[in-house]
Amino acid sequence: MAAQVGHLHALRGRSDIVGPALRRVLTDTVRAWLIRLFEAADPGPGISLVTLGGYGRGEPAPGSDLDLVLVHDGRAPDVGTVADGLWYPIWDAGISLDHSVRTVDEALRVAASDLRAALGLLDVHHAAGDEDLSARLRERTLAQWRSGARKRLPDLQEAGEERGRMAGDVAFLLEPDLKSARGGLRDVQILRALAAAWVTDAPPAPVQEAHTLLLDVRGELHKRTRGRDKLLLQEQDSVAEALGYADADALAHAVADAGRTIAWAYDSAWRRAGGVLSQQGWGRRFGRTRRPNRRPLAEGVVEQNGEVVLARNADPAADPVLVLRAAEASARADMPLAPHTLERLAAESAPMPVPWPDAARDAFVGLLAAGPPAVGALEALDHAGLLVRLLPEWRRVRSKPQRNAVHRFTVDRHLLETAAEAADRTRRVDRPDLLLLAALFHDIGKGWPGDHVTAGEKVVARIGPRLGLPPEDASVLTTLAAQHLLLPEVATRRDLDDPATIRQVAGLVGSRGVLDLLHALTEADALATGPAAWGPWKARLVGELVDRVGAWLGGAPPPKPPALTADQEALLSAAAAGDPHLLVRVGEDELVHVTVAAPDQMGLLTAISGVVALHRLDVRRATAYSTSGRALSELVVSTPYGRLPDEAKMRSDLVAALGGSLSLDQRLREREESVSLPRRPGLASPPPEVLFDDSAEDATVVEVRAQDGIGVLHRIVGGLAGHGLNVRTAIVSTLGADVVDAFYVRGRDGGPLPAGAERERVAHAVLAALE
């Protein structure tokens, strides 16, 4: 038995056994071991051992638990001794075990009140002992499941929907939970449970193939993660290599397609189950009420039994717009397109004329305007192959992963989610149709090589005329695709008090109407990206930029730098005595503002940024101002756990740092060595970059892109100061594991940096500081 256990543990680390072979060897090894354990326990008659779960189905992964039931007929006197002889060796082997000892009647009583237990018993597999007893348990379990379908299936459906809401979709998440997410392994178990209840057929071949693929991926994932089911980005390269995929993207694409296949079959099965049960008078348990047989929804489109179907006289071959009218009706009624309707549309629909007729474009915009229900309708068109017929460019972004820690969805799902978010903002703009189209196409360039914005601009320039947009509207749509990152990048990386910043944005957008469209698109894009992409701080900055650019476009004068506050004036006066003074307060933006006044000297901002990092504060923005030999620095920071920093301790550390008695570089290195920082998942960290921008009026913008870490701002500012540069403003932007910091600097002569060798020396100094 020890050899058998050792063999099992060795299998979990074997890299040469993959896919079905791994599951077969795991299953055979465990079942042989269980037989040995059972025989060693010397059971009498009327006892059997059954496996449930992954081992019961013959689908274990290396990290799967053992789920066992010791079944007895109620007359076996030594069942407890037999149980001890089974459970203790398994525990001693370090294998996770879920176990119980029950008669058949006891097992069925538990299953009658516990849905999870009922599902588990559907996977009963005889392992050892009395085969007739195991068969009786299985037969009675199936009979009870079928007879109780009226009560159990609605609860099962509700539990599956809640699980999907919590875990998301295998098809669209960049890091999907292969087991619990919608379209994952648990959904296949539920499909089998529906078939066992005789309300649907067994899962078809495409679902079985998708299921096998997910099992293969999960098996390799378990080898590397000790049983984790979430396919994180950093694991995808090694799993792809083990399973023979070209790269991590190919693996992610295959997983997404498998998730789509399972999710589609899952939804269809529940609709069929609801139809079967409603015919038996059980429809209300599934949220159904009796409806008119056929209710008109649009020209050629009707509702029938809670699904969207074609009218009897509808002719897809003669009506190319019918597919879009049906999808729009589906979204607006929030009802699914019937599978046979999709099949008919796919088989019979005429090609869409080019350019699209007005009716087609109107139906398409109406579909997008439905908001979140449009996602399901477009996914249905995609599943049937209709979306790529209408929009051939969609093929390049379909199921395409994004190697970006900020994003949570594949490219195609991100575009659909952005359009759904944009639908909530259509009343804020003059052209809702252009907003919705821009939301759907803003990242379409990610399907092409190179910079996605540049590629997307070219792609959208082709799509607009094909959709039948007039030239001026097509031009606006192209501008929105080309500039969809403009507002967030400028708002978080440039000085909004600099008139040159406002003039530059105004020149790129051209009109107030386009500015408002970009503002709404920016919000929709960020909200569809993920929680790290949007928040009160960014919303305030983007809103402030939009207000200033809008005023400029309306003829208002350029903004003036904000006047010093009374607190700032008081700090400057106190600093005249020669010592630094510091004030910590919470601003109207609900972020912490650290204001420092001190005698002006080279390296002041370097010391301040180092002290801030030492106190575990993340800088969002820093500005510097000097007058009459005194300097004022204002830093906007975020604090850990919302606690205000110790103002007195920060001032003490600053005095020590400026006086040379506190080595900030050493202290920050010590802190960095003691903290494990997150790295770019699934990606090698690119080398830092230093870029120069001449858009500012009285300074040069030095933009530094690097991996985030403790004291990064301190090191960069130190590199700039060491080269004799004066930092007027520093703007910090964090993107996942990276930072993009912009520094408005002046040279030794007080002006912008000259081009050429001087800038090369500055770049070298910054890169050296980061090393």
Side-chain angles (χ1 to χ4, degrees), residues 87-248:
W87 310 153
Y88 280 100
I90 295 173
W91 288 326
D92 292 341
I95 295 174
S96 181
L97 173 66
D98 188 357
H99 62 91
S100 60
V101 179
R102 293 190 175 108
T103 65
V104 171
D105 287 341
E106 288 170 345
L108 293 175
R109 279 198 297 272
V110 172
S113 59
D114 186 330
L115 183 60
R116 183 176 177 181
L119 289 174
L121 284 178
L122 294 177
D123 297 324
V124 163
H125 184 277
H126 175 75
D130 188 336
E131 290 192 46
D132 290 339
L133 188 60
S134 298
R136 188 156 66 250
L137 174 61
R138 177 164 181 78
E139 291 167 2
R140 291 187 60 188
T141 293
L142 289 171
Q144 178 173 281
W145 180 251
R146 291 163 188 154
S147 65
R150 176 177 183 175
K151 175 183 177 183
R152 310 309 296 274
L153 293 188
D155 295 336
L156 181 61
Q157 184 184 33
E158 184 177 344
E161 290 173 351
E162 177 61 23
R163 174 171 46 80
R165 284 191 293 269
M166 296 292 291
D169 292 72
V170 167
F172 309 120
L173 291 174
L174 301 182
E175 296 183 325
D177 186 324
L178 302 175
K179 184 176 182 180
S180 297
R182 203 174 97 86
L185 298 172
R186 285 201 185 280
D187 280 359
V188 178
Q189 295 173 30
I190 291 180
L191 288 174
R192 292 169 172 171
L194 291 175
W198 290 349
V199 296
T200 64
D201 296 329
V207 172
Q208 295 175 24
E209 293 169 3
H211 182 235
T212 297
L213 186 149
L214 294 187
L215 287 172
D216 292 349
V217 176
R218 183 181 181 231
E220 289 307 302
L221 184 61
H222 271 213
K223 287 181 183 179
R224 291 157 176 78
T225 63
R226 297 184 179 179
R228 188 165 56 211
D229 294 319
K230 193 170 186 179
L231 183 59
L232 299 179
L233 290 172
Q234 62 259 34
E235 308 295 346
Q236 293 179 13
D237 284 309
S238 60
V239 172
E241 182 180 2
L243 294 177
Y245 289 93
D247 53 29

Side-chain angles (χ1 to χ4, degrees), residues 335-550:
M335 293 180 184
L337 284 157
H340 62 83
T341 297
L342 286 167
E343 292 170 4
R344 186 179 172 195
L345 288 170
E348 301 177 22
S349 288
M352 187 68 71
V354 177
W356 285 17
D358 291 347
R361 191 173 61 257
D362 290 345
F364 190 48
V365 170
L367 165 60
L368 297 176
V375 175
L378 287 163
E379 284 292 340
L381 296 185
D382 193 13
H383 180 82
L386 290 163
L387 192 54
V388 293
R389 288 193 208 171
L390 296 166
L391 302 169
E393 296 82 3
W394 199 258
R395 187 184 306 277
R396 284 180 171 256
V397 297
R398 189 180 190 273
S399 298
K400 185 174 180 61
Q402 306 195 66
R403 300 291 156 183
N404 186 315
V406 176
H407 275 276
R408 56 180 170 172
F409 292 126
T410 54
V411 177
D412 55 343
R413 185 55 179 254
H414 170 68
L415 294 175
L416 297 183
E417 294 289 340
T418 303
E421 292 286 352
D424 284 339
R425 291 158 176 79
T426 52
R427 294 189 179 183
R428 288 171 32 182
V429 298
D430 293 336
R431 291 297 304 272
D433 56 334
L434 295 182
L435 171 61
L436 293 167
L437 293 172
L440 186 66
F441 298 131
H442 74 282
D443 270 351
I444 198 76
K446 289 182 176 178
W448 278 259
D451 177 67
H452 84 277
V453 176
T454 303
E457 181 179 4
K458 296 176 182 177
V459 174
V460 174
R462 298 194 298 267
I463 291 176
R466 193 169 75 240
L467 296 181
L469 290 173
E472 60 274 15
D473 289 351
S475 176
V476 171
L477 186 64
T478 303
T479 297
L480 293 174
Q483 303 298 340
H484 74 273
L485 296 177
L486 176 67
L487 298 184
E489 288 187 348
V490 171
T492 59
R493 303 182 192 176
R494 292 297 180 264
D495 184 2
L496 304 189
D497 292 329
D498 189 336
T501 300
I502 308 306
R503 284 199 302 269
Q504 180 189 32
V505 174
L508 290 171
V509 301
S511 70
R512 181 72 207 210
V514 173
L515 177 65
D516 290 339
L517 286 168
L518 270 181
H519 190 191
L521 176 59
T522 296
E523 288 187 12
D525 183 15
L527 290 169
T529 296
W534 196 246
W537 168 252
K538 185 175 285 188
R540 188 185 71 79
L541 287 178
V542 170
E544 184 178 335
L545 174 61
V546 169
D547 289 344
R548 294 188 178 199
V549 173

Side-chain angles (χ1 to χ4, degrees), residues 651-686:
R651 181 178 183 275
S652 174
D653 287 344
L654 179 59
V655 171
L658 292 173
S661 61
L662 172 62
S663 173
L664 289 171
D665 288 337
Q666 179 180 343
R667 289 284 300 276
L668 290 172
R669 276 196 302 271
E670 292 171 354
R671 186 184 161 216
E672 189 168 24
E673 290 170 358
S674 68
V675 176
S676 177
L677 292 176
R679 296 295 182 235
R680 296 167 61 89
L683 296 172
S685 186

